[in-house]
Amino acid sequence: MSIAPEILTRLLNLSHELGREDRKLAILGEGNTSTRVSPGTFLVKASGSNLGTLSVAGVTECHFDRLLPAARG
């Protein structure tokens, strides 16, 4: 990933806080966390990753210019 490490660290910290079992939050299907990195990119928690134990490997960098054409069909 070509993003600033502090952005990734903040996303991981947020995910870990939301996923803490002692918070007893009702998290259905784990949900996701994401953050905009630039006007053209964002980071998102990959499906199947656990919020409480999310690592760099469970985060995907997405590019709007690649995703929007697929979403439009």
Side-chain angles (χ1 to χ4, degrees), residues 13-67:
N13 288 340
L14 171 67
S15 300
H16 296 159
E17 282 299 311
L18 290 171
R20 281 186 11 223
E21 287 190 31
D22 65 307
R23 293 178 64 109
K24 300 188 187 307
L25 296 175
I27 299 175
L28 303 174
E30 280 297 316
N32 80 26
T33 50
S34 62
T35 186
R36 176 77 65 94
V37 177
S38 72
T41 60
F42 65 98
L43 300 176
V44 66
K45 174 190 145 311
S47 294
S49 301
N50 181 287
L51 284 169
T53 60
L54 186 64
S55 68
V56 174
V59 176
T60 301
E61 184 176 19
C62 301
H63 301 265
F64 287 110
D65 63 344
R66 298 178 194 162
L67 292 171

